[in-house]
């Protein structure tokens, strides 16, 4: 059995290889979040809210991403921050912990949190 390559098959092979290299080279990166003045190099600005307590979410951290309100379900939040209306500055990473009954927001571990004036 003898293989014959035509110009078309060679071009198709090269194009497929280039596509594969481009696909492998596309490494997903963590998206940068633009909060339209709602964050700085020290973290995010938000507010503690209890307005969804009747929906199974006793404490949430509300913050803005662009024009959209986002919610975090804080994991092991210190008692001093569990007050409705507190303005906070925080950093966080998402958690895979079960969110229980709360279906609003995403569970997150707050790495740093401080009260704002």
């Amino acid at each position: 059995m003898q293989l014959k390559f035509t110009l078309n098959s060679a071009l198709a092979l090269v194009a497929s290889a280039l596509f594969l290299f481009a696909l492998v080279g596309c490494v997903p990166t963590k998206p940068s979040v633009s909060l339209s003045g709602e964050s700085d190099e020290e973290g995010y600005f938000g507010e503690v809210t209890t307005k969804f307590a009747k929906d199974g979410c006793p404490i949430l951290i509300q913050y803005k991403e662009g024009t959209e309100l986002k919610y975090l379900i804080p994991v092991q939040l210190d008692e001093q921050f569990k007050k409705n209306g507190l303005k906070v500055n925080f950093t966080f990473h998402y958690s895979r912990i079960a969110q229980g009954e709360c279906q609003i927001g995403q569970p997150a571990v707050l790495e740093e949190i401080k009260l704002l004036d």
Side-chain angles (χ1 to χ4, degrees):
M1 185 167 133
Q2 193 174 7
L3 290 175
K4 286 189 174 182
F5 284 104
T6 65
L7 182 58
N8 286 340
S9 63
L11 287 174
L13 181 64
V14 169
S16 297
L18 287 175
F19 176 75
L20 183 61
F21 285 128
L23 185 62
V24 171
C26 294
V27 177
T29 59
K30 184 178 176 183
S32 63
V33 177
S34 170
L35 296 177
S36 302
E38 296 296 320
S39 83
D40 64 10
E41 54 278 343
E42 294 180 20
Y44 301 92
F45 297 107
E47 183 176 335
V48 177
T49 182
T50 59
K51 68 181 176 182
F52 298 103
K54 67 179 187 290
D55 298 318
C57 307
I59 297 289
L60 293 174
I61 305 291
Q62 171 183 295
Y63 67 100
K64 235 180 185 182
E65 184 174 356
T67 59
E68 184 180 358
L69 281 178
K70 298 275 187 157
Y71 296 93
L72 297 176
I73 304 166
V75 176
Q76 298 179 340
L77 184 64
D78 192 275
E79 285 297 319
Q80 70 176 337
F81 298 107
K82 292 183 177 182
K83 294 180 181 107
N84 190 53
L86 286 180
K87 306 278 191 236
V88 292
N89 178 246
F90 60 96
T91 60
F92 72 94
H93 67 268
Y94 291 109
S95 174
R96 290 194 251 177
I97 194 167
Q99 56 193 58
E101 294 178 30
C102 184
Q103 298 300 310
I104 301 169
Q106 294 183 299
V109 174
L110 300 179
E111 296 161 342
E112 294 181 36
I113 184 168
K114 59 185 174 183
L115 293 175
L116 297 174
D117 296 329

